[in-house]
Amino acid sequence: MKYRNLRDLKVSAIGYGCMGMSHGYGAAPERQESIRLIRYAYEQGGCTFFDTAEGYGAGDNEKLLGEAIAPFRDKVVIATKFGGPKIDGDRLVPQEYTPAEIRQHCEASLKRLGTDHIDLYYQHRVSRVVTPEEVADCMGELIREGKILAWGQSMATADEIRRAHAVTPLTAIQSEYSIMERSVEKDVLPVCEELGIGFVPFSPLAGGFLSGKITSGQTFSGDDVRRAISRYTDENIRANQQLLDLLNEFAARHEATPAQISLAWMLAKKPFIAPIPGSRKEARILENLGAADVELTPDEFSEIEAALARIEIHGHRTDEEIVFGLRK
């Protein structure tokens, strides 16, 4: 496995998103199977970067990850989050935690994870009430106390990043980013590069679409978030096939998979990017982690970029970007 630096944190170039072990993509695996798969990612795939949140499975995801990595806790980087979105009527809004409440949530996460420190502690969604400066000051105190080693924001705007970073330097920003969802390229990635902040893409395979395994006629039910994402309608799956055609072309050149080309493109984009795909099958875990060994030449990268400029993406992820856009 190759490694990357998120400011002062050294992580595997490809991390592991644990959310799907608790919810979000249909029925979750049995607990012991989830623990086995997380350990498999470390022991067989060389993954050292694991992402969770207090809001995944109402805290159970943190407990799960803590138990899974206990045998090699000092060898891995744990990222978790506080203050995720909540439903308010028909909208998603951030949870508004004061610095004192943030401390309480940090202590609760430490207990669930079974550790004495959190390597990377994110604000899951930026508050509309508590300012970025207030949160950053609280994070600085937690760093000085050794409860967390570094902090970050998730789904933050460029302005929110600058304001927070001026108080307590940010180590990473986490947002949705994939070859299918590139809105952060406009201002978030540039500000991360300018300020020396790492970037951690969630949903780097667009909920599995970029693996090429999702076909028209497929249905999603229960708590599977894809049932509410317009990109997964039959019409849009067919319309977005041209994107998969592009990935398949380069996959054939490299004897790789479309998912690996998607992740390799992302790694080639910037050296401070470390994506966190999730998977619940051994083969997919190794496939994703193996993307770190797929290297696109500069000419190939430019060829992909030129092709993407001509491809229109059909459908949207959720209305969350609209809801949080009200803060701008």
Side-chain angles (χ1 to χ4, degrees):
M1 173 57 71
K2 296 177 181 178
Y3 296 88
R4 297 204 153 187
N5 291 319
L6 304 175
R7 206 167 186 91
D8 295 327
L9 284 182
K10 183 179 180 181
V11 300
S12 53
I14 305 288
Y16 191 103
C18 297
M19 184 187 80
M21 296 299 189
S22 296
H23 76 97
Y25 291 99
E30 293 293 330
R31 183 179 185 82
Q32 288 307 311
E33 174 65 2
S34 294
I35 289 172
R36 186 188 72 82
L37 289 170
I38 291 170
R39 290 176 177 172
Y40 183 85
Y42 170 76
E43 294 165 351
Q44 302 299 320
C47 181
T48 64
F49 186 29
F50 295 89
D51 182 271
T52 183
E54 66 176 12
Y56 300 163
D60 188 64
N61 200 261
E62 287 183 321
K63 294 178 182 178
L64 184 71
L65 178 59
E67 183 177 347
I69 58 91
F72 42 85
R73 169 64 185 99
D74 60 338
K75 306 292 185 183
V76 300
V77 170
I78 294 177
T80 192
K81 315 173 195 72
F82 70 91
K86 65 178 181 178
I87 297 175
D88 181 10
D90 60 352
R91 303 197 312 161
L92 288 172
V93 299
Q95 298 193 60
E96 315 291 1
Y97 293 150
T98 65
E101 290 170 327
I102 291 171
R103 283 183 161 276
Q104 293 173 359
H105 283 262
C106 180
E107 293 289 352
S109 286
L110 286 167
K111 183 176 181 180
R112 286 190 292 265
L113 288 163
T115 186
D116 62 358
H117 71 277
I118 295 166
D119 300 282
L120 177 56
Y121 198 39
Y122 292 107
Q123 184 179 24
H124 206 155
R125 292 294 185 271
V126 177
S127 172
R128 302 162 303 170
V129 177
V130 183
T131 67
E133 290 85 355
E134 290 176 276
V135 174
D137 185 64
C138 177
M139 294 298 103
E141 291 180 356
L142 291 174
I143 290 171
R144 288 188 289 274
E145 294 168 14
K147 296 184 185 298
I148 67 175
L149 301 186
W151 85 289
Q153 294 170 315
S154 180
M155 298 291 283
T157 66
D159 177 64
E160 290 161 346
I161 293 168
R162 290 185 183 279
R163 290 171 61 186
H165 188 74
V167 176
T168 302
L170 288 151
T171 287
I173 298 299
Q174 182 178 129
S175 291
E176 182 182 5
Y177 183 46
S178 72
I179 209 166
M180 195 175 194
E181 172 50 66
R182 304 174 63 186
S183 58
V184 296
E185 292 180 1
K186 181 179 179 181
D187 51 12
V188 172
L189 280 183
V191 79
C192 286
E193 186 166 29
E194 174 192 341
L195 300 177
I197 301 169
F199 186 79
V200 179
F202 71 77
S203 199
L205 297 177
F209 181 85
L210 297 175
S211 70
K213 303 299 182 183
I214 293 176
T215 58
S216 60
Q218 193 165 343
T219 59
F220 304 99
S221 59
D223 80 338
D224 195 314
V225 296
R226 290 171 292 188
R227 65 186 176 88
I229 300 175
S230 62
R231 288 176 187 160
Y232 297 101
T233 64
D234 284 357
E235 179 182 3
N236 287 332
I237 287 173
R238 289 191 294 269
N240 289 321
Q241 181 60 44
Q242 57 185 331
L243 183 57
L244 290 176
D245 292 342
L246 174 66
L247 294 174
N248 279 317
E249 176 186 342
F250 283 87
R253 294 187 196 181
H254 286 267
E255 296 184 347
T257 67
Q260 289 177 325
I261 297 299
S262 297
L263 295 170
W265 166 84
M266 185 171 288
L267 294 177
K269 191 77 177 180
K270 297 293 180 182
F272 55 85
I273 294 177
I276 50 168
S279 183
R280 304 188 296 195
K281 295 181 180 179
E282 286 184 3
R284 293 284 172 263
I285 290 172
L286 291 185
E287 176 185 350
N288 292 342
L289 297 176
D293 295 319
V294 178
E295 295 188 9
L296 300 172
T297 68
D299 285 346
E300 287 177 323
F301 179 79
S302 297
E303 189 178 346
I304 292 174
E305 290 284 284
L308 289 175
R310 299 188 296 269
I311 295 176
E312 178 185 358
I313 302 301
H314 297 263
H316 300 284
R317 180 176 180 267
T318 65
D319 66 351
E320 188 175 22
E321 62 266 37
I322 298 173
V323 171
F324 284 92
L326 297 175
R327 296 186 286 105
K328 298 179 182 178

